[in-house]
Amino acid sequence: MGIVSIKTLDKTYPASGKNPAFRAVKGIDLEIPDGEFIVLVGPSGCGKSTTLRMVAGLEKISGGTISIDGVVVNDLLPKDRGIAMVFQNYALYPHLTLFENMAFGLRLAKTPKTEIHRRVTDAAKILGLENILERKPAALSGGQRQRVAVGRSIVRDPKVFLFDEPLSNLDAKMRVQMRSEIAKLHARLGTTMIYVTHDQVEAMTMGDRICVMKDGEIMQVADPLTLYNKPDNVFVAGFIGSPPMNLFKGTLERREGRLFFHETAEADALFVPLTGQMAKLVAGREGKPVFFGIRPENISESPHAIDSTPITATVELSEPMGSETNVYLKTGAGNLIARLHTERLIAMGDSLTIHLNLAKAHLFDATTEQVIR
Amino acid sequence: MKASTQERLKSTAAHVFLIGFIALILFPFLMVIAISFRKGNFALGALIPTGEDLSLEHWKYVLGIPYTETMPDGSVRTVQASTPVLQWFWNSLKVSTSASLLIILLSGTAAYAFARMQFAAREQLLKSLLILQVFPMVLALVAIYALLQLIGEFIPAFGLNTHPGLVLTYLGGIAIYIWMIKGYFDTIPVSIEESAKIDGATHFQAFVRILLPMSAPIFAVVFILSFISHISEYPVASVVLQTEGKWTLAVGAQSFLYEQNYLWGKFAATAVLSGLPITVMFLFCQRFLISGLTSGGVKE
């Protein structure tokens, strides 16, 4: 079992010297069911690592509680919490062999020798390290070292695995490989895993659920597709996805009985007629400031969807990728990026008419930055 | 052709400079060795004593071996050393080794606290340690004398004229070693100890089983430096140790130089003798002075 329950968790670093007090985590709540792979993701300084380190017991908790399997662990030592952690910089013991690196915790716990041997070799087999157990960390590649760090965690047989940006120090190729290895490991062990990363691709591909954080607060917790298709707020909408969602600030206007989104800009302002479901959604909000968001792939050259609406703009830049072309269209405050499936080259300066699929577009209240649903 | 001539010139010049430099360093040392093997107590003479000049009398004296000496009137007498030079040698070894070991223990643990723990006035303490170290220990001689006398009244083993008492005063001068070791600890990522903590290690276990083995080079350096400085330390030792049998080599050697008579030969032999343990210690510690001990544990 490994149910982690975080309640109104708070972390404040006291003022020291010239630095004022800093509230890194602001009363967050999070329930992690047994066996879930949850990813904490967010920009640097959002409190995701601090949260993980509080679960690990490496950071004192300023307020709230963390329970693992119903036991409040606030005052327990790391070793008594039933957790294991993999660090970004591997944090292996450089003077010990791989075997001793993995056996260190068991030796401290006075585990019988045969048991140590069994558990270390089992873990080594899972990770393909069985032939290099007598080597020292210096003789290994980055990927192997991180595998040893994972092995050290497996040997502890924890209720919860904690990963603190474990792939950030690996090169791109090794990162992709280790990503799938950790995902497979989760499938094999079925243990609860909490994974911290700033990389949204890792978050999307690995997590059962993703918890997006910003400035010490949780923005949204959801499975990857919900997060992608139904972001709760402007931050999540802009953070998840590459290229990111197009977001424009503007107001809702009614002209001749029809609703429009009007971008706030001096010139080239985007003017989007709102129809269908979206028009009903925002009825009565005329004159209010809003954010209009649409993902590049929900824009097409021909009107596929029922709720699509056409706009015409000038092409500023076109990036043919082969199967698709990213087109940057000029708008008031910047660019509208459209990912068009087209086989013809689109020239810069062209005037292009595109169709926005409003069923997949989002409107956010500009003051609360929350989605209007 | 021209370039290679220039290269050769450069390399020759470099060699001449370096050899000259080494000679400059070695010359006084060779002089001391020469004096210790020269008959009589003369500071000047041939660099390599030969024939009549060559004599082992000073070494025999220092090592406590009886030897014969021809007096100015022609009579021959046997000389047995009246001073316990070998006893001094043993005293020096004892004091320097135990002081160095204790210094490693104290400064290592103190440096760990300064490098890894958060406590009130940590920064201020660190800085004041450095400032205090600016004043040489000699300036505190009076205080040391008074303190040891006072301590001696309650714990005679640590009083004046005792080796533990001298070691105790030496332990006062560890600020610089704390700084050195702290500097080394600061280069070792905290995450290694954190991962030891998650593995179930206590603060002390993480220190002893993880941090210490990784820090062997700095401890070797501290041990050598402390050993050298304490085996040659004169002012404090000369005040604390009062009877001849308790003296260290540095104090004893000084006793060969009194105003009426400078016994250069015996002084030189004693000096060379005190260099021996330093050399041995250096060779021993050298195997800990290896780089790369901490590499591989983390991604740099």
Side-chain angles (χ1 to χ4, degrees):
Chain A
M1 288 289 278
I3 303 166
V4 181
S5 159
I6 297 173
K7 289 205 173 70
T8 61
L9 186 69
D10 221 285
K11 176 70 191 180
T12 305
Y13 290 100
S16 72
K18 285 175 196 131
N19 303 329
F22 175 63
R23 194 165 170 218
V25 177
K26 298 168 183 165
I28 61 168
D29 293 289
L30 187 60
E31 286 291 328
I32 304 167
D34 182 38
E36 184 173 73
F37 195 121
I38 189 161
V39 180
L40 306 185
V41 68
S44 54
C46 72
K48 55 191 192 297
S49 278
T50 310
T51 306
L52 190 78
R53 289 170 60 81
M54 283 194 276
V55 176
L58 297 173
E59 209 74 65
K60 274 221 176 71
I61 295 168
S62 310
T65 57
I66 296 174
S67 340
I68 297 174
D69 286 345
V71 181
V72 175
V73 297
N74 283 31
D75 298 319
L76 289 187
L77 288 173
K79 66 171 171 125
D80 300 323
R81 295 184 178 202
I83 51 107
M85 184 157 168
V86 177
F87 292 82
Q88 177 177 357
N89 61 7
Y90 324 138
L92 299 179
Y93 313 128
H95 57 295
L96 300 178
T97 62
L98 297 202
F99 186 94
E100 287 305 322
N101 258 285
M102 295 201 247
F104 185 72
L106 299 177
R107 291 223 193 280
L108 287 178
K110 305 251 184 319
T111 314
K113 270 201 180 127
T114 51
E115 172 79 1
I116 292 178
H117 190 264
R118 188 182 62 75
R119 279 163 78 169
V120 172
T121 44
D122 279 359
K125 230 172 265 167
I126 293 176
L127 297 159
L129 297 167
E130 62 263 54
N131 294 325
I132 50 172
L133 280 176
E134 292 316 311
R135 289 201 200 161
K136 287 197 176 165
L140 304 185
S141 70
Q144 285 173 319
R145 284 184 209 175
Q146 199 53 293
R147 227 172 272 158
V148 176
V150 173
R152 189 169 57 182
S153 300
I154 296 175
V155 165
R156 286 183 54 74
D157 193 17
K159 287 187 260 185
V160 184
F161 279 91
L162 308 175
F163 293 91
D164 190 5
E165 309 211 18
L167 309 184
S168 298
N169 280 351
L170 301 177
D171 60 50
K173 197 176 159 212
M174 188 51 81
R175 201 175 305 163
V176 174
Q177 192 190 333
M178 281 300 287
R179 203 165 75 196
S180 61
E181 275 188 36
I182 292 178
K184 277 183 213 155
L185 187 72
H186 178 244
R188 177 174 180 156
L189 298 175
T191 316
T192 312
M193 292 187 177
I194 307 179
Y195 188 104
V196 163
T197 180
H198 63 266
D199 180 354
Q200 49 137 330
V201 178
E202 273 176 33
M204 293 292 283
T205 51
M206 299 174 85
D208 292 333
R209 274 197 312 160
I210 298 169
C211 168
V212 182
M213 292 182 73
K214 180 200 170 202
D215 297 337
E217 286 175 282
I218 292 179
M219 292 281 114
Q220 187 174 3
V221 186
D223 63 86
L225 290 183
T226 307
L227 212 57
Y228 189 80
N229 293 323
K230 292 179 176 151
D232 273 352
N233 48 55
V234 176
F235 178 78
V236 174
F239 188 78
I240 303 286
S242 172
M245 183 187 280
N246 296 296
L247 283 165
F248 301 97
K249 192 169 186 178
T251 46
L252 291 170
E253 284 175 16
R254 189 175 287 279
R255 286 187 192 179
E256 296 158 6
R258 290 181 64 196
L259 258 179
F260 292 89
F261 167 79
H262 190 188
E263 191 191 0
T264 316
E266 299 285 313
D268 300 312
L270 206 61
F271 203 67
V272 185
L274 302 179
T275 54
Q277 192 61 34
M278 182 157 271
K280 283 180 208 150
L281 205 61
V282 294
R285 282 179 181 257
E286 290 88 346
K288 295 267 172 61
V290 290
F291 282 103
F292 176 79
I294 186 158
R295 292 200 183 276
E297 59 268 37
N298 295 325
I299 301 171
S300 54
E301 272 196 293
S302 47
H304 295 303
I306 313 156
D307 268 355
S308 68
T309 185
I311 58 164
T312 305
T314 316
V315 177
E316 275 211 321
L317 178 68
S318 145
E319 296 176 332
M321 318 275 278
S323 67
E324 61 207 21
T325 302
N326 288 338
V327 183
Y328 293 67
L329 293 154
K330 184 149 182 54
T331 66
N335 285 130
L336 172 71
I337 305 171
R339 186 181 282 174
L340 302 179
H341 291 266
T342 179
E343 283 177 6
R344 71 185 173 91
L345 280 175
I346 298 167
M348 289 178 210
D350 279 2
S351 181
L352 190 69
T353 300
I354 48 164
H355 298 264
L356 311 181
N357 181 358
L358 289 185
K360 295 280 181 84
H362 311 272
L363 279 172
F364 304 91
D365 187 314
T367 40
T368 62
E369 301 203 343
Q370 296 298 309
V371 75
I372 299 167
R373 265 186 198 134
Chain B
M1 191 63 191
K2 203 179 168 203
S4 85
T5 317
Q6 210 175 0
E7 282 295 307
R8 216 174 299 156
L9 261 176
K10 257 191 198 169
S11 132
T12 314
H15 275 88
V16 168
F17 172 76
L18 287 174
I19 290 167
F21 196 71
I22 291 170
L24 207 65
I25 295 168
L26 281 182
F27 188 67
F29 178 63
L30 291 178
M31 269 178 78
V32 172
I33 293 181
I35 293 167
S36 77
F37 283 106
R38 189 181 302 137
K39 208 171 171 64
N41 286 295
F42 306 103
L44 296 172
L47 193 56
I48 301 168
T50 45
E52 270 291 284
D53 265 356
L54 185 69
S55 154
L56 291 176
E57 58 179 53
H58 303 309
W59 278 99
K60 283 182 175 162
Y61 182 89
V62 160
L63 298 175
I65 304 165
Y67 65 96
T68 55
E69 196 179 53
T70 316
M71 299 306 283
D73 58 4
S75 64
V76 175
R77 61 166 193 162
T78 304
V79 182
Q80 168 70 54
S82 58
T83 44
V85 179
L86 282 180
Q87 177 68 43
W88 298 341
F89 181 74
W90 172 237
N91 291 346
S92 276
L93 268 188
K94 215 164 60 175
V95 168
S96 305
T97 310
S98 48
S100 301
L101 287 176
L102 285 171
I103 279 172
I104 281 192
L105 188 77
L106 282 180
S107 54
T109 44
Y112 178 76
F114 278 121
R116 292 288 192 262
M117 294 173 180
Q118 293 297 328
F119 48 88
R122 174 172 160 276
E123 288 292 317
Q124 291 86 331
L125 273 173
L126 256 178
K127 277 178 196 146
S128 55
L129 271 181
L130 202 63
I131 292 168
L132 279 178
Q133 199 72 13
V134 169
F135 302 98
M137 201 189 266
V138 184
L139 295 182
L141 264 185
V142 185
I144 289 170
Y145 189 90
L147 280 172
L148 284 184
Q149 193 166 40
L150 190 70
I151 292 172
E153 281 174 25
F154 299 98
I155 316 163
F158 285 90
L160 277 174
N161 202 21
T162 63
H163 292 142
L166 183 62
V167 169
L168 200 62
T169 58
Y170 285 164
L171 293 185
I174 61 168
I176 199 81
Y177 303 122
I178 294 178
W179 268 89
M180 280 175 69
I181 299 173
K182 179 194 171 281
Y184 194 89
F185 283 170
D186 284 343
T187 66
I188 297 176
V190 186
S191 60
I192 294 184
E193 287 150 75
E194 285 179 340
S195 102
K197 243 174 256 172
I198 286 176
D199 268 342
T202 59
H203 253 305
F204 187 71
Q205 281 171 322
F207 176 63
V208 172
R209 300 184 62 159
I210 303 298
L211 202 57
L212 280 194
M214 288 168 67
S215 310
I218 193 68
F219 284 111
V221 169
V222 165
F223 189 85
I224 290 173
L225 287 181
S226 148
F227 191 83
I228 292 175
S229 75
H230 291 130
I231 209 162
S232 57
E233 199 279 335
Y234 173 75
V236 176
S238 70
V239 167
V240 172
L241 306 175
Q242 294 153 333
T243 51
E244 200 183 59
K246 296 272 187 182
W247 285 351
T248 57
L249 267 185
V251 181
Q254 200 77 15
S255 76
F256 291 128
L257 309 176
Y258 35 90
E259 277 184 44
Q260 292 77 16
N261 197 2
Y262 274 35
L263 301 173
W264 284 122
K266 296 181 177 58
F267 180 82
T270 319
V272 175
L273 194 65
S274 77
L276 280 179
I278 297 178
T279 314
V280 171
M281 203 56 73
F282 213 90
L283 293 175
F284 171 75
C285 286
Q286 210 170 26
R287 58 199 182 112
F288 296 107
L289 296 176
I290 36 169
S291 60
L293 208 61
T294 57
S295 71
V298 299
K299 171 89 176 186
E300 279 94 17

